[in-house]
Amino acid sequence: MLTGCTPNQQQYKIDRENPSLWQKFLVIPMSELLDWFKVLLGNYGWSILVVTFLVRLIVFPLTWKQQQSSKAMQELQPHIVKIREKYKNNQQKLQEETMKLFQKHNINPMAGCFPMLIQIPILFAFYQAIMGNEHIFTSDFLYLELGRPDPYYILPLLAAFTTYLQFIATGAADNPQTKVMLWIMPIMIFLLAYQFPSALSLYWVYGNIFTIIQYLIFFNKKKVKGNVSEGTAR
């Protein structure tokens, strides 16, 4: 989402002589890591893939916490709807009963937001590391010029499609409060990827794929085990 803050192709500038603390401890190290893996792997396309994986690995505990909170909130949605219908004319009672429900199930409704807030600086730094690396902007990967948008729109379509799959895989489409984003987000991502350098679109596609794989491996496996346990108990 943060890539939408600068909807143009102007390259972000990293001040390496007098960097800010933000650049010194986050942006420049990530940019140098991209350079290091490029030397090792021979191409910035693969370097972005590896560094995206490392970043997602670092923030995985936060993603895990966020997904657990989201799933818990989804499971409580039928109860929350009943409370809203029952106390729709009494806002004070509605709030009290809703909080009792959260306390009963030991759920903090804001828990899903905190991990996302912590992830934002890391992901934004990676975005600036890609935008500010002049070597990436003059490199090629497959048919792509990483400093220019995809001329054949394949990458924007992949970015939109993997965004849609991410909503499906993570169960966000099952939540009435986020269901509308199932269609809005892919369209928005396509329009952004259509304008941005291919390096950023590539990062977005890689990130979506890792998120989908993480969810299918860890969260769906946990859900299946829970269903098996319930079936055994019955």
Side-chain angles (χ1 to χ4, degrees):
M1 291 295 293
L2 289 172
T3 58
C5 296
T6 315
N8 56 58
Q9 300 177 26
Q10 184 176 3
Q11 188 176 349
Y12 170 79
K13 301 297 182 182
I14 299 177
D15 187 353
R16 296 183 180 273
E17 294 184 359
N18 298 296
S20 63
L21 290 177
W22 168 263
Q23 291 183 338
K24 183 177 181 179
F25 291 105
L26 281 175
V27 179
I28 292 177
M30 285 189 178
S31 180
E32 292 177 348
L33 194 61
L34 286 165
D35 289 336
W36 190 84
F37 276 111
K38 187 270 178 184
V39 173
L40 183 66
L41 301 173
N43 193 284
Y44 276 109
W46 300 122
S47 176
I48 293 173
L49 172 65
V50 174
V51 177
T52 302
F53 171 75
L54 293 176
V55 170
R56 292 306 172 103
L57 196 62
I58 291 171
V59 301
F60 177 72
L62 302 176
T63 304
W64 176 272
K65 181 68 175 178
Q66 182 183 344
Q67 289 292 348
Q68 284 182 319
S69 176
S70 298
K71 293 299 291 183
M73 288 296 294
Q74 287 177 22
E75 291 172 359
L76 284 185
Q77 279 303 312
H79 302 286
I80 294 175
V81 170
K82 289 181 180 179
I83 292 174
R84 287 175 178 171
E85 291 176 353
K86 185 176 181 179
Y87 300 105
K88 60 183 178 181
N89 296 323
N90 189 336
Q91 289 297 315
Q92 183 176 351
K93 188 65 175 178
L94 172 61
Q95 294 176 6
E96 291 177 357
E97 293 300 318
T98 303
M99 290 308 299
K100 286 180 181 178
L101 181 65
F102 290 150
Q103 292 171 1
K104 178 181 178 180
H105 294 274
N106 196 26
I107 293 176
N108 181 357
M110 297 301 295
C113 300
F114 295 140
M116 177 61 72
L117 293 176
I118 297 174
Q119 289 183 57
I120 286 176
I122 299 173
L123 299 178
F124 189 42
F126 191 28
Y127 154 69
Q128 291 186 335
I130 292 176
M131 288 289 288
N133 191 312
E134 62 275 9
H135 303 297
I136 293 179
F137 266 65
T138 58
S139 296
D140 297 330
F141 179 62
L142 302 177
Y143 69 93
L144 300 167
E145 294 181 51
L146 294 178
R148 297 178 178 274
D150 182 349
Y152 303 111
Y153 313 131
I154 296 174
L155 208 51
L157 288 171
L158 278 176
F161 182 63
T162 53
T163 299
Y164 174 82
L165 288 182
Q166 180 177 315
F167 270 83
I168 298 295
T170 57
D174 299 330
N175 188 339
Q177 296 177 335
T178 59
K179 192 171 184 178
V180 65
M181 300 303 291
L182 175 67
W183 301 106
I184 293 178
M185 277 296 292
I187 294 173
M188 187 190 317
I189 294 303
F190 174 83
L191 294 175
L192 292 174
Y194 169 81
Q195 302 176 65
F196 280 113
S198 296
L200 291 176
S201 300
L202 200 60
Y203 158 66
W204 187 267
V205 171
Y206 286 155
N208 283 345
I209 292 173
F210 282 128
T211 299
I212 293 168
I213 292 173
Q214 280 179 352
Y215 193 90
L216 292 177
I217 292 175
F218 293 99
F219 297 102
N220 273 12
K221 184 182 293 185
K222 183 178 179 182
K223 182 178 179 180
V224 169
K225 287 182 178 179
N227 291 339
V228 171
S229 299
E230 289 178 5
T232 304
R234 290 176 185 175

